[in-house]
């Protein structure tokens, strides 16, 4: 009996922790990247051998050749050298977000760097889309890079270092709240392909209500800020004809909250700017824990389906699993922001 107990204890000690499966990528020339990466590693206790330093331009755009040599090749090599199975890759502010000219997301290309197909043409047809389907789409099980052949890449970013570090703090403070969750339909998005995305807001509301969560579906033509901090949010952002930036900046979040906005260029920059479509950086500054954005036009097929996103999250999947399960394609325009390990509803 004693020998059995000792063997069990030794096995438990040797078992990997979730942090062992995370690789953190830091851009050495960027003090912001170094500070954020170091903070995340310390707070999540990421093994030293799972940290890789790259040397790449600090601009938001990077050439395809520099991305390949300075980011992809370095990360792939570090994964091979790690004694752990890497399932998640966390990028930090100061690493470019977009490939110049072709406008693909750096994060999306890195996630599927070992997947044999090329990125879609920027004006894809149905065949292009069908041949780039994310194999984890709609799945509800723990993610494994070994099983699915790619990685879940997220990013710690925002207007400044404090915003990016707050993503980590909110993740660690997250609790399994019953809500509220808030979904805001747009009065001008009921026709054509937009109507299908509009329906996912009502479906998300119904899914959560059936599970006993506090969910609200706003169906008026107004663009409305929830009256209190929320655990989840989805809307059309600036694509809502009634959009107000002042109202948008009044949306606040509980620790652990996830969000999607149906906005084509919501992740085009993490620098303060005026004009253009609404930015996810404003919601990061308002305390969201996880959010998805797009560096250039992704079309509606690539948006995260909130009915899947919030169902998976409240069923116990982590932040990264939830966003990727809700996203149809790989190697495209997506950015997933937040600590991949955030999982307040885990059993």
């Amino acid at each position: 009996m004693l020998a059995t107990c000792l063997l069990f204890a030794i096995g438990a000690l040797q078992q990997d922790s979730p942090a062992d499966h995370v690789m953190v990528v830091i851009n050495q020339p960027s003090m912001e990247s170094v500070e954020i990466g170091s903070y995340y590693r310390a707070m999540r206790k990421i093994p030293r051998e799972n940290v890789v330093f790259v040397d790449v331009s600090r601009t938001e755009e990077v050439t395809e050749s520099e991305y390949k040599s300075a980011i992809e090749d370095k990360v792939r090599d570090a994964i091979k050298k790690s004694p752990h199975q890497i399932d998640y890759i966390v990028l930090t502010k100061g690493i470019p977000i977009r490939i110049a000219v072709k406008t693909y997301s750096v994060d999306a290309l890195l996630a599927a760097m070992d997947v044999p197909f090329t990125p879609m043409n920027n004006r894809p047809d149905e065949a292009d889309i069908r041949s780039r389907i994310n194999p984890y789409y709609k799945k509800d099980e723990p993610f494994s890079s070994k099983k699915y052949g790619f990685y879940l890449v997220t990013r710690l970013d925002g207007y400044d270092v404090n915003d990016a570090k707050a993503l980590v703090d909110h993740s660690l403070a997250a609790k399994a709240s019953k809500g509220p969750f808030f979904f805001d339909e747009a009065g001008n998005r009921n026709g054509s392909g937009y109507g299908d995305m509009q329906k996912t807001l009502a479906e998300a509301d119904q899914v959560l209500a059936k599970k006993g969560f506090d969910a609200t579906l706003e169906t008026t033509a107004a663009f409305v800020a929830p009256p209190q901090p929320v655990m989840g949010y989805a809307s059309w952002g600036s694509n809502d004809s009634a959009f107000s930036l002042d109202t948008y900046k009044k949306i606040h979040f509980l620790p652990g909250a996830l969000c999607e906005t149906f906005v084509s260029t919501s992740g085009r920059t993490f620098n303060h700017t005026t004009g253009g479509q609404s930015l996810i950086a404003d919601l990061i500054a308002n305390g969201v824990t996880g959010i998805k954005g797009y560096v250039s036009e992704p079309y509606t097929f690539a948006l995260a389906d909130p009915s899947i996103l919030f169902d998976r999250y409240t069923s116990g999947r982590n932040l990264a699993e939830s966003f990727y399960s809700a996203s149809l394609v790989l190697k495209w325009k997506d950015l997933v922001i937040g600590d991949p390990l955030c999982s307040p509803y885990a059993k």
Side-chain angles (χ1 to χ4, degrees):
M1 177 66 73
L2 179 59
T4 301
C5 290
L6 285 171
L7 287 171
F8 180 83
I10 291 170
L13 288 171
Q14 293 175 337
Q15 189 175 33
D16 282 355
S17 74
D20 292 331
H21 298 279
V22 179
M23 177 152 285
V24 181
V25 185
I26 297 172
N27 189 15
Q28 187 75 63
S30 167
M31 293 307 297
E32 293 177 317
S33 183
V34 172
E35 183 176 348
I36 294 163
S38 299
Y39 184 76
Y40 180 65
R41 176 178 174 255
M43 297 301 287
R44 273 296 186 187
K45 297 180 173 58
I46 307 296
R48 186 178 299 276
E49 60 269 25
N50 284 5
V51 178
V52 55
F53 288 91
V54 300
D55 187 344
V56 67
S57 302
R58 288 176 291 170
T59 55
E60 290 192 312
E61 281 200 349
V62 65
T63 65
E64 189 172 15
S65 60
E66 187 180 6
Y67 156 75
K68 184 72 169 59
S69 61
I71 300 177
E72 183 178 304
D73 290 349
K74 294 290 180 64
V75 173
R76 180 184 284 109
D77 185 58
I79 289 174
K80 289 178 180 177
K81 292 177 179 177
S82 175
H84 310 286
Q85 176 179 306
I86 300 301
D87 296 315
Y88 307 98
I89 300 172
V90 177
L91 305 182
T92 45
K93 184 175 182 64
I95 294 174
I97 61 174
R98 179 175 45 248
I99 304 297
V101 183
K102 295 183 178 180
T103 69
Y104 302 118
S105 154
V106 164
D107 305 41
L109 294 192
L110 190 63
M113 60 184 168
D114 295 329
V115 175
F117 58 68
T118 59
M120 284 182 283
N121 183 287
N122 273 311
R123 296 185 66 84
D125 58 25
E126 185 175 347
D128 291 328
I129 297 168
R130 288 186 179 277
S131 61
R132 273 83 171 184
I133 298 296
N134 165 16
Y136 192 66
Y137 179 57
K138 290 189 176 181
K139 292 293 190 290
D140 189 8
E141 63 182 30
F143 177 82
S144 165
S145 60
K146 187 175 181 179
K147 177 176 180 178
Y148 287 102
F150 73 104
Y151 305 93
L152 303 189
V153 175
T154 69
R155 173 180 290 262
L156 300 175
D157 215 325
Y159 283 132
D160 55 35
V161 167
N162 289 333
D163 282 354
K165 289 166 72 173
L167 292 165
V168 183
D169 298 337
H170 298 325
S171 172
L172 294 170
K175 296 181 180 179
S177 170
K178 282 292 185 181
F181 295 83
F182 194 90
F183 307 107
D184 190 1
E185 293 185 348
N188 62 320
R189 294 295 175 186
N190 290 304
S192 187
Y194 297 131
D196 292 334
M197 290 308 301
Q198 182 95 299
K199 291 175 184 176
T200 66
L201 297 172
E203 289 166 359
D205 175 72
Q206 293 165 8
V207 164
L208 290 173
K210 287 179 181 178
K211 295 172 74 172
F213 288 91
D214 174 11
T216 297
L217 178 67
E218 167 58 45
T219 60
T220 72
F223 184 78
V224 178
Q228 62 193 86
V230 294
M231 193 64 182
Y233 173 85
S235 78
W236 288 90
S238 57
N239 281 325
D240 189 321
S241 58
F243 177 77
S244 159
L245 183 58
D246 288 340
T247 301
Y248 185 70
K249 291 185 176 182
K250 292 177 182 176
I251 302 166
H252 291 278
F253 303 90
L254 295 171
L258 301 190
C259 174
E260 166 69 304
T261 59
F262 302 154
V263 178
S264 302
T265 61
S266 59
R268 68 188 179 277
T269 185
F270 291 89
N271 297 320
H272 287 284
T273 186
T274 57
Q277 294 185 307
S278 53
L279 294 169
I280 59 173
D282 286 321
L283 300 184
I284 295 170
N286 281 6
V288 78
T289 302
I291 192 167
K292 192 161 180 259
Y294 307 89
V295 300
S296 64
E297 176 60 67
Y299 303 102
T300 56
F301 68 80
L303 303 173
D305 183 331
S307 67
I308 301 172
L309 171 66
F310 292 106
D311 175 64
R312 300 303 187 267
Y313 193 52
T314 56
S315 295
R317 302 270 62 83
N318 65 35
L319 179 153
E321 290 169 331
S322 300
F323 276 110
Y324 277 84
S325 177
S327 302
L328 179 67
V329 295
L330 294 179
K331 284 191 179 179
W332 195 225
K333 311 297 185 76
D334 321 50
L335 295 176
V336 176
I337 305 298
D339 169 19
L341 301 182
C342 180
S343 53
Y345 297 95
K347 302 295 189 294

